[in-house]
Amino acid sequence: MLVVIAVVIAVVVAVFLLGGTAGAKDITAAYGSTEAIAVSRTARIVPRAADGTPIEHYVVRLVRATDDEGSRIEVDDIPAIDVTGVEGFAMRDILPSDAPDGTYYPVIEPDGGDKQTLPPVTVDDENPDDTVYIDPNPIATSDKASQLFLDKIRELQDVYGEARVKTVDGGFGSWTAYISGLAYAELVDFGDGTQRLVVAYIDDAGARVMMNGIGYGVYTVEIWEYDEESGELMQLFRGISNGAANGAGSGVVGLSYLEYARNPETGNLVLCTRGYTDSFGGETLDFYGVTEDGFGVVNAMVVDVVENDNGPTGEIHYFTGGEQVDEEAYRAALTDWRSCDAVLLANASDSEEGALEGLSRYYSNDAVDEDDVTCVEDAVDIVRNTIDLLEARVNAAAEAEAATDGAISGSGATGLALHDGGAR
């Protein structure tokens, strides 16, 4: 029987890898694949059912996107499209004309079927115009990582609640907008090809502080990784979001955010945590990412304000990478490790609209380009998009297993003849 299974799977895999009935220049990819396919805006993308026929009606929605440099592209304002017919769709059908080149993550929902994720699509008009057929992958395994990430999100939602945007009028022209519950959940590749789950949530006590409009609530930030050896999730990091209290007089009213930067030596993405150590300008910046030993601190930067019993002496020490440097070198290092992506979990402004849609008045423009900031109103959608992506990957894996089982059970006399011949 093992021979039958091996031969049948080999035949199915060969058909899959060779593109089935697609033309010589056509491309075949798999639902649930995390390997990006390169297409032009006019290339046709045709999702197919398990029997190899094009799906004739479905909805396509984008759940995330990054540009050529890895920075976030906002997709929440890009409407889903309804696709009818056997010719599939092209990225130009869903992308606005001014959408930048980059990698987009589409999810489809067929009539009467579960959501499934298509492979990431890297869009550039220099890429091929060849038709891309998307099929169930007969050699896919159960996507346990996606299921466990999904379970972790639901577990946190059960404890802290789902993400909701709330606004508070603090009086005297001061507004705060913040995300309650599980405020953030996203799959992040820190440069080694492994997607890890980054989450941020606020408890009831922190939310009450936000609702008072006079302080800041602390968001807990965690990073989780799927460990193949144990088959379980491992927590790699636990800390608090930037903008929260870390020392005397630190923290600013109604501002809390996640911040990503790029390691200037490797280009890898890192999570930056900032902490103010005193009321006179002292601060620490720790950058977490992929290390030789796994995951941890890849760089630390410190501003140490020297104090005595009478307060600050006026002497300031600067450190980066464990070495003391002068202020000029420190400022240069800050530029090298400058934020490339900031997600506002809470924001303060002099108007409700500004709190929802703007960059905090407390957030230094020297720290981040406003174009790299996701405002509170948009940030709340990241959790929903991540759930859609994970659910679609889990469904794609289930469809793949069903396709494999169907290929084996439908092998008929050919499989038995091969088996019997081998036995003799």
Side-chain angles (χ1 to χ4, degrees), residues 216 240 243-252 275-284 303 305 307 311-312:
Y216 43 81
I240 60 176
N246 287 280
S250 66
V252 275
Y276 303 99
T277 55
D278 55 52
S279 304
F280 309 108
E283 67 175 355
T284 61
V303 176
V305 178
E307 299 181 54

Side-chain angles (χ1 to χ4, degrees), residues 97-333:
S97 58
D98 59 350
D101 291 343
T103 299
Y104 293 83
Y105 292 72
V107 166
I108 70 166
E109 189 164 359
D111 287 345
D114 294 324
K115 287 177 289 191
Q116 293 203 53
T117 179
L118 305 187
V121 178
T122 299
V123 177
D124 188 318
D125 285 333
E126 298 298 321
N127 289 339
D129 292 326
D130 304 330
T131 299
V132 179
Y133 292 94
I134 312 296
D135 293 318
N137 186 347
I139 57 175
T141 58
S142 174
D143 194 343
K144 190 173 182 181
S146 292
Q147 184 63 65
L148 289 177
F149 286 148
L150 198 56
D151 292 344
K152 174 57 65 176
I153 290 174
R154 289 169 174 161
E155 172 192 322
L156 293 171
Q157 286 179 326
D158 287 344
V159 175
Y160 301 102
E162 296 183 9
R164 295 283 187 273
V165 173
K166 300 185 178 182
T167 58
V168 181
D169 183 355
F172 306 102
S174 176
W175 283 84
T176 296
Y178 73 97
I179 306 175
S180 65
L182 177 61
Y184 174 84
E186 189 169 29
L187 298 176
V188 177
D189 181 353
F190 287 92
D192 60 351
T194 297
Q195 291 193 328
R196 297 170 176 87
L197 178 66
V198 183
V199 297
Y201 52 87
I202 190 168
D203 59 19
D204 290 341
R208 282 195 296 271
V209 172
M210 286 289 189
M211 290 174 66
N212 290 335
I214 57 173
Y216 43 81
V218 175
Y219 288 81
T220 299
V221 181
E222 297 173 351
I223 300 177
W224 294 86
E225 178 180 283
Y226 175 65
D227 179 52
E228 293 186 2
E229 187 173 338
S230 66
E232 299 177 350
L233 295 186
M234 295 192 312
Q235 188 180 94
L236 303 179
F237 170 84
R238 191 172 192 271
I240 60 176
S241 61
N242 293 346
N246 287 280
S250 66
V252 275
V253 175
L255 174 63
S256 191
Y257 59 99
L258 284 174
E259 183 178 15
Y260 296 98
R262 289 205 175 274
N263 185 331
E265 296 179 1
T266 65
N268 290 346
L269 201 67
V270 293
L271 176 71
C272 172
T273 63
R274 294 174 183 258
Y276 303 99
T277 55
D278 55 52
S279 304
F280 309 108
E283 67 175 355
T284 61
L285 289 83
D286 292 316
F287 299 89
Y288 292 85
V290 177
T291 68
E292 292 182 357
D293 299 323
F295 193 92
V297 176
V298 297
N299 188 29
M301 302 175 66
V302 178
V303 176
D304 178 25
V305 178
V306 179
E307 299 181 54
N308 57 27
D309 292 341
N310 297 319
T313 64
E315 184 179 357
I316 301 177
H317 297 162
Y318 299 91
F319 299 86
T320 180
E323 297 182 1
Q324 186 170 348
V325 296
D326 59 23
E327 182 178 2
E328 182 179 358
Y330 181 83
R331 300 299 173 193

